[in-house]
Structures are given as structure tokens and as C-alpha cells.
Amino acid sequence: MRTELKGLPAGIYLRISDDKEGRELGVARQEEDCRRLADRLGVKVVGVYKDNDVSASTRTKKKRPDYRRLLRDAETGLIKVVLAYTSARITRRPRENEDLIDLGEQHGTVFQYVASPAFDLNTANGRMVARILAASDAGMAETTSELITRKKQQRAENGQFHGGGRPYGYEKDGKTPRLCELKNVIEGVRCIGAGQSQATVIRSFNDRGSKTADGHLWAVGNFKRTITKLRYVIFDDNDPERRGTREHSSGTYRAEWEGFVTRAEHELMMAQLNKAAQPWSHGLANGRRYLLSGLLRCGGCQASGERCGAPMFGQARKRDDGSRQRRYRCKGRDNYARVVGCGKVFRDAAALDEFITEAVLYRFDSPDIARVLTPKEDAAKVDELTKKLAGFDLRRRQLAAEHALKPYEDYDIMRATIMEAIGDVEKELSKLHVGSAKALIPEAQPVRAVWENASMEWKRDIIKLVIERIIVRPGGPGSHTWNGHRFDPSRIEVIWRV
């Protein structure tokens, strides 16, 4: 026993890199051994510092809050002795090891280990041994990391499941299908590809009691992360076994499990998601209050004389008699006081909602609407665009790999050109509506029959299915009336998709 340490305040540092079950058994065993060491040394344990399930390797970017607290307490003299199971438990980084050497030299901190040799950092030989051990620990950690990384890549190339939690739609082994969940995935992919909003699909999932793989309710985040996974996508449409896709940082591979979503369906969904990408400002709880908010475009002019074209949003105003009027307006400035529109065009919301609704329902009164929405040539066009998109994406990855080996001077320009081409193809895809568009249309009855009691999100989805944009021209109603409203239909231009 080192008698010179007897009675000194000590801190125990505990760390384990991998605690998948979250039971902290590893750090508990370390603490028991460190407390026995404290008893042998005669030091007084005044603090325990624990970073569970956190690596201290040279590659990790995870922060270790208790490690930083340990250093601060040692610098202030709150602890004089640091106890750990091995030196590698504290750090495997040579740079951080120099911080520990500074503690020993400047503050007299002593490090004692259960299963590693102790050394005096106040001597040149002690510091040399510490640096040798730190370099050895770092080398061992990096070698292990390389072996694990290579093993993971090999598993990916073989299409094997990477392990971890149960993937939605499959059993714990990651291969056996769970069909009740896969039906939800297929429904979600097809509905989003048809132009339906995430809110509508998520609400329908939650209303019928469907849960995530972890048993939680669906929300925007977990819904989008789930349906956009490539594991559900059939790797090769010509594969009779319809194997799925195994994702890895090195590329995509034919998986050992079955896929259930065609590549065309996946790309069409992604195009719709990219097209509608925006901050989720409305939320699922509050819902929308204006049917056409964001779907309208201002037909006025900016001060410069240029066409405005800014989106119009719902906003109520208070009349002189104290009543409130729901209306749509061109927003002149955003929340950051930046000019975004002319701010001069307004329209009564009740009248415009009724006008657009009647126009859409009249369009859906045609028995041929489903056939018109899903022309056969669209399916072929989707397939063509999907292959083109895959080709551009492959070239993008190849360019990145080539640039990593031998940097291109014009890499940024070359990459920008490819990304622009990818964006153009995605825009074309977002305009196409294949057979999945029928998922929005009720089969047993006409759209008009279910419209009144339908949700506002569903109504918006139906509107977006047949209307590309609605332009609101400036000018008041004058003497015009329509369906009991002071409203001039000639000031509204509807650009139909079909």
C-alpha cells in the first residue's frame, strides 16, 4: 500500500463502450473493483464519475460529460487521486493522455488502476511509460475499429442484416416478414407518392391503433425515417426472389430479406417528399384552418413591375363592426422583415374555398377521372426517369470516390452539374401520378358524397391531385356575386393537372 496516498480524496472513473441493454453491468463491476482498490490504498472516495455506453477511442465524436467533470475537479483540487479499472478506461487518445500528464505535473494528481501498472507522472520515466501505453491503447483501438468496420462491410456486401433493434416490417432476425406492418409501409409509400400528405397518412395509422416497432405512436420523424428506408425496396426488378436492398456507406447491395416496394414507387415517393420539403409548422395536433393556404399564388405585381407569384396564406381580419373575416392574403414580408411578395392581393376565404371545391368536385363527377389520373404512359415514364435517376446517383458516388483518390480541380462544378440533373429528374417524377393515385379516391362512392365529412388534409390532397396551381388576380368583387358571395370568379385562374 502506498502510505503517502492514505486519506487523500479520490474519484472513481467508470466507462464502458457498449451497453446495448442499458443495464450498466459493466460499470457496476468496475466500481466494485475500484472501491476495493480504494480500500487497499486507504484513500477516501468523494465522487464517482460515470460515462456509460460511450467510447473513448480515437475515432469517436461522442462527448463524455463526466470525464470533463473529472478533469475540472482534479484541477480545482477536489480530488487528488483518480481510480480506474485500466488506463484505457480513462482514454485511448494520446492527445487526452497529455492532459492527464499535465494534471500530474501541475496539480500532483495521482492515477491508480486495478489492472494496469501505476506510474508517477512527476518523473520523466513515468511520463514515458504513460505515453507508450497511450500509443499502444490507441493503436489497439484503431486496429479493432478497422476489423469491425471491415466485418460490417463484408456483411453488407453479403446482404446480411446488421443487427440491432427489430426493423419495422420484419421480425427480430431482420429477415422474416411481418406482413401486418409491411402493409403499412406499402400504403405509406404509395399514398405519399400519389401526393397525399404525411399528416393524413400518420393520422390514419394512429387512428387504427398501428404502432411503430418500439410500440410508439407515429409522428412525422419516425414515419419519414421508416418509409424512406431502402431495405423495403426491391434491389432488382428482374429478381424472381424480389430481394430487398442492403444499405451501407460503401454502397447498396442485394439483401437476404424480401423487398416489397418497387424502385419506381420509392423514387416517386422521394420526389414528392423533396418537392414538399418545408419546416413542419402546422403540427398534427392543431391542424389546418384554411383549406387553400399555401396552394394559392398571388397574381399581382411587385413594385418593380414584375409578376409577384408569392404564395398566399390564410389570415383573419377584424371588421369595423367587430366581426372577423377569414381571408387569404399575399404576405408582403416574412417574419424576418424580408420582402417576399407584393402584400396587396386579398380574397375572401369562404367564397374562394367554395369556388375551388365546386370546381374540383365537378371535375371528379366524371367517371373517367381515375383513368385520366393514371395514364398508362406515366408508368413507363416513371420507369424511365427512375433508371435515369439511378444512373445520375451512381455517377455522383463514382465521382466522389474518384475525387477522394485523386482530387479533381473542377470537382465542385462537376458535382453541381450532376446534382442539378438529379433535381430536374426529381421534379419530373413529382409531376407524375401512377396507379397509386387511386388510393386517395374512394372506391364505393363518388368524391362529392364523402367531401363534406372528410378531413381538411384529405381535401387538400384531392385538390393537389388535379390542380397544379391557383392564381388569384388583383381586383375587388365590384358588383359581381357568386353563390351569395361578393366574389368575381373571373379573377381566379385554375391551372389543372388533368
Side-chain angles (χ1 to χ4, degrees):
M1 179 178 73
R2 293 185 58 175
T3 55
E4 70 273 16
L5 300 181
K6 191 173 183 179
L8 290 180
I12 296 176
Y13 182 71
L14 312 171
R15 182 187 64 78
I16 186 170
S17 301
D18 191 3
D19 186 14
K20 292 180 180 178
E21 296 182 357
R23 297 169 64 185
E24 301 189 1
L25 298 179
V27 292
R29 288 191 292 267
Q30 289 180 39
E31 184 174 354
E32 292 175 4
D33 292 338
C34 287
R35 286 194 179 277
R36 283 195 287 268
L37 175 62
D39 291 339
R40 290 199 302 272
L41 296 174
V43 297
K44 181 181 180 182
V45 176
V46 297
V48 177
Y49 306 81
K50 179 173 62 177
D51 289 315
N52 192 47
D53 201 21
V54 179
S55 173
S57 73
T58 60
R59 305 297 177 114
T60 184
K61 294 182 180 179
K62 271 190 176 182
K63 293 184 178 180
R64 295 190 288 155
D66 265 25
Y67 173 73
R68 305 311 305 177
R69 187 165 65 88
L70 171 77
L71 298 186
R72 288 195 301 270
D73 289 350
E75 289 172 352
T76 58
L78 184 63
I79 58 175
K80 287 294 184 180
V81 180
V82 175
L83 306 177
Y85 189 78
T86 64
S87 59
R89 291 298 91 195
I90 299 182
T91 184
R92 294 178 184 272
R93 299 182 179 185
R95 289 182 181 178
E96 289 183 347
N97 186 65
E98 292 299 319
D99 295 333
L100 304 183
I101 290 176
D102 289 342
L103 282 178
E105 283 189 298
Q106 300 173 17
H107 303 281
T109 307
V110 177
F111 295 85
Q112 293 288 313
Y113 307 106
V114 175
S116 289
F119 31 82
D120 189 352
L121 297 180
N122 286 302
T123 66
N125 284 336
R127 291 190 292 273
M128 179 182 69
V129 173
R131 289 182 174 117
I132 292 172
L133 281 177
S136 175
D137 287 340
M140 188 179 299
E142 291 184 9
T143 299
T144 302
S145 176
E146 287 178 357
L147 292 173
I148 293 174
T149 300
R150 182 66 189 95
K151 184 178 180 180
K152 287 182 178 179
Q153 182 175 342
Q154 186 178 35
R155 288 182 62 83
E157 291 171 353
N158 293 333
Q160 294 174 290
F161 178 47
H162 59 75
R166 182 181 73 82
Y168 188 78
Y170 298 85
E171 300 298 338
K172 181 68 175 177
D173 61 5
K175 299 183 294 184
T176 307
R178 188 175 286 195
L179 295 179
C180 60
E181 293 181 349
L182 286 168
K183 288 180 180 178
N184 289 335
V185 173
I186 296 169
E187 178 186 344
V189 170
R190 290 178 177 173
C191 287
I192 298 301
Q196 198 167 353
S197 70
Q198 294 182 67
T200 304
V201 182
I202 291 168
R203 193 175 289 115
S204 71
F205 282 10
N206 289 333
D207 287 348
R208 62 181 182 239
S210 174
K211 299 291 181 67
T212 67
D214 297 327
H216 299 135
L217 290 173
W218 290 98
V220 175
N222 57 30
F223 173 76
K224 188 173 181 179
R225 282 194 300 272
T226 298
I227 66 169
T228 56
K229 286 181 179 178
L230 288 179
R231 76 159 14 249
Y232 307 108
V233 180
I234 300 169
F235 184 75
D236 183 356
D237 292 335
N238 298 318
D239 180 5
E241 295 183 345
R242 295 169 59 88
R243 296 291 184 86
T245 302
R246 173 66 159 93
E247 282 186 274
H248 189 262
S249 57
S250 61
T252 55
Y253 307 94
R254 182 175 182 269
E256 60 180 351
W257 56 83
E258 186 179 355
F260 292 85
V261 175
T262 67
R263 192 160 294 275
E265 289 173 330
H266 176 80
E267 294 297 350
L268 186 59
M269 173 194 66
M270 294 303 299
Q272 291 286 8
L273 288 173
N274 292 334
K275 178 185 176 183
Q278 58 181 353
W280 193 260
S281 56
H282 304 288
L284 293 175
N286 296 329
R288 293 182 183 271
R289 298 181 181 179
Y290 289 84
L291 178 64
L292 304 175
S293 189
L295 302 181
L296 307 171
R297 290 294 180 269
C298 175
C301 294
Q302 301 274 15
S304 62
E306 296 181 2
R307 177 74 62 85
C308 177
M312 298 177 67
F313 298 94
Q315 185 181 60
R317 75 174 180 113
K318 191 174 182 180
R319 294 190 178 101
D320 294 337
D321 61 2
S323 63
R324 296 176 68 81
Q325 179 194 19
R326 298 173 70 255
R327 63 178 185 168
Y328 296 105
R329 62 164 296 199
C330 173
K331 196 173 182 180
R333 294 181 180 272
D334 63 11
N335 295 333
Y336 301 96
R338 296 174 298 196
V339 176
V340 292
C342 67
K344 300 175 182 177
V345 177
F346 304 84
R347 204 62 88 241
D348 181 74
L352 188 51
D353 286 355
E354 190 174 330
F355 176 74
I356 295 299
T357 295
E358 187 55 38
V360 169
L361 292 179
Y362 179 79
R363 185 59 63 105
F364 271 93
D365 283 340
S366 168
D368 296 328
I369 186 67
R371 178 183 57 79
V372 175
L373 282 173
T374 58
K376 292 181 179 179
E377 57 269 21
D378 270 9
K381 185 66 174 176
V382 167
D383 186 57
E384 176 190 338
L385 291 173
T386 299
K387 291 178 180 177
K388 186 182 293 186
L389 189 63
F392 283 134
D393 189 56
L394 177 61
R395 180 57 190 140
R396 176 186 61 80
R397 295 198 302 268
Q398 288 175 339
L399 182 64
E402 292 167 1
H403 179 65
L405 294 174
K406 186 178 180 181
Y408 291 116
E409 292 183 2
D410 299 328
Y411 173 73
D412 291 338
I413 297 175
M414 297 165 71
R415 185 180 184 280
T417 302
I418 293 175
M419 294 306 294
E420 183 179 357
I422 290 175
D424 290 342
V425 174
E426 288 180 339
K427 286 179 182 177
E428 288 187 66
L429 269 172
S430 69
K431 296 177 182 178
L432 299 178
H433 295 274
V434 292
S436 56
K438 294 181 181 178
L440 297 178
I441 307 172
E443 295 181 1
Q445 51 189 324
V447 172
R448 186 181 291 274
V450 299
W451 186 272
E452 184 177 350
N453 296 321
S455 68
M456 186 173 291
E457 289 294 346
W458 181 84
K459 293 177 182 178
R460 285 173 60 89
D461 292 334
I462 290 292
I463 291 171
K464 289 187 288 186
L465 198 60
V466 293
I467 293 179
E468 184 174 332
R469 62 183 181 276
I470 305 166
I471 301 173
V472 181
R473 304 293 183 193
S479 59
H480 293 85
T481 59
W482 180 84
N483 275 14
H485 300 282
R486 293 186 64 238
F487 180 74
D488 185 1
S490 67
R491 300 286 183 179
I492 309 300
E493 180 183 359
V494 179
I495 310 299
W496 299 93
R497 292 186 186 273
V498 294

